[in-house]
Amino acid sequence: MKLYNTLTRKKEEFVPIEEGKVRMYVCGPTVYNYIHIGNARPFIMFETLRRYFEYKGYEVTFVQNFTDVDDKIIKRSHEENITPEEVANKYIEEYFVDADGLGIKRATIHPRVTDNIDEIIEFVKDLEEKGYAYSVNGDVYFDTKKFKDYGKLSRQNQEELEAGARIEVNSNKKHPMDFVLWKAKKEGEPGWQSPWGEGRPGWHIECSVMSSRYLGETIDIHAGGQDLSFPHHENEIAQSEARSGKTFANYWMHNGYININNEKMSKSKGNFFTVRDISKKYDLEIVRFFMLSSHYKNPVNFSDELLNQAKAGLYRLYNTKEKLEFTIKNLKDINIKETEKDLLKELNTFKDKFIKAMDDDLNTADAISSIFELSRFINTNVDENSSIEFSNKCLELFNELTNVLNIVNKTNNDILDEEIESLINKRVEAKKNKDYNLADKIREELLQKGIIIEDTRQGTKWKRA
C-alpha cells in the first residue's frame, strides 16, 4: 500500500513501525460548536483509512482528540453563561450525534486536553530544561530558532515563513515565529497550577502530548486537514522532536479544502454550513458517500447539485442490493450452474480493482467506481433463473466492499420514513382487496415522493426514483 507523505512530497510504500499494527493520530474538533462540513471531511476520510487497514488485517490504534479548553470555548461559555467544561461536554455529545450520522467509527481513544494537563506540564518542563522553551510573565514559548529543522513540513525556511505569515505582535517573543506552549491565566479563564504560575496549555502542545502518551514517541500516521499543515503540524513536529530526539510521525497525510458553490467557505460570505444544518435536508450517509467519491487530497466543491448527484448514485447502489436480496429470497436452484462458473471469475476482478484503488493512496473515488462496475455486473447477470450459490457470492462481495467504506448498509426500514413505509403497506393491502383505484392513487403519491413501485411475480418491490 502506498500513501502520499506530505513531509516528503511523494507516495511511499507504507511500512508500519510494528508489523501488523498501525498507530494513527487524527486531529479532532475544538468543541465550542457543532462541527462544520470542513471538519467532516478529514474525520470521514481518515476513519475510512483506518477501516481499510482493519480490512487488511492490521490492528489499528486510532486516536482522535477533543480540544476542550480554548479561547473559543471560553468565549462561548461567557455567551451562554455556563462553564467552559459544560460547553465542551455539550458539544462533545453533539459531535457524536453528527459522527454517528456520518458513519464515523469511534476512535480507539478520544482523549481530552483537560485530562492531560499534568502530562502537558511535564512536556513543557522538559522542553524548557533542554533549552527549547523560555518563559516570560507566566507564558512559555517554544524557541523556533533552536530547532534547526523548523519548516520541514511546509518546506520553507524561517525567513520565508515569517514573510508569508500573519504573525501576532507579541513583545514577549524572542522571534516572530515562536509559539506559545503555556498561557498565563487571565481574568475569567480556567487555569491550572504550573511551575510558571496558573495558566492553561497552548493549542499546539496538546496533540504532541496526547499522541506521545497514547501512541508512543514515534507514530505511523498523523493526519488532518490541509489547513493544519502550518502552523499546527509544523509546531507539533518541532516540539515533539526537540523533546524526544526521534521522528514524530513517519507519514503525514492532509486532505484538500472544501469550497461551497465554488467559493471558499466562510461565515462572512454566508456559506458556512454545519453538519447539523445539512442533516435537516440530506441523510448524512449521502454526505459520507459524496466525500468518498473524491480523492482525499483533491479540493472538493460542495453544492446542492452535487449532493443530489451523490444521492442518486448512492440510491442506485441501494437499489442493486435490494433487488439482489429480493431475488435471492425467491430463488429455487441452489447449486451453481456451468454458465455461472466463468462469471465467478469475472466477479473476483471487481475485488481486485477495489483493493488496487485503495492501496493507491486511499483512492476511494476509484474504489467506488469498482463498486458501480460490480453493481452493473449484478444487475446484468442475476435474475430469477440464477442459482442461489452464485447470487449469494455476488451479495457477499457487494457487502464486503461497501462495508469497507461503510456505505449501503442500511435496511429498508432505515431508509424509508414511516409515512412512505405505511403507504407501501397500504398499497399492498389495496391490491389484495382488488381496490385498484386506491392502489394506483398510492402509486402516484409514492412517485411524487421519489419512490417507484414495481409489481413482480415475486411480489411488490420498490426503489428510489
Side-chain angles (χ1 to χ4, degrees), residues 128 131-136 140-146 158 162 170-179:
E128 191 175 42
Y132 287 102
Y134 58 93
S135 61
V136 183
V140 184
Y141 296 92
F142 185 89
D143 190 339
T144 53
K145 292 288 186 184
K146 294 285 182 69
Q158 286 233 23
E162 288 175 20
N170 188 329
S171 60
N172 290 335
K173 292 183 181 182
K174 288 183 180 179
H175 315 293
M177 295 307 299
D178 293 354
F179 56 90

Side-chain angles (χ1 to χ4, degrees), residues 10 30 32 38 153 243 267 403 453:
K10 62 184 180 182
T30 300
Y32 71 99
L153 184 65
R243 185 194 189 215
K267 289 182 179 177
N403 284 346
I453 294 295

Side-chain angles (χ1 to χ4, degrees), residues 340-353:
E340 293 173 330
K341 289 180 179 178
D342 287 337
L343 291 174
L344 269 185
K345 295 176 185 175
E346 188 179 347
L347 184 65
N348 292 329
T349 64
F350 302 111
K351 181 175 179 177
D352 294 339
K353 288 179 181 179

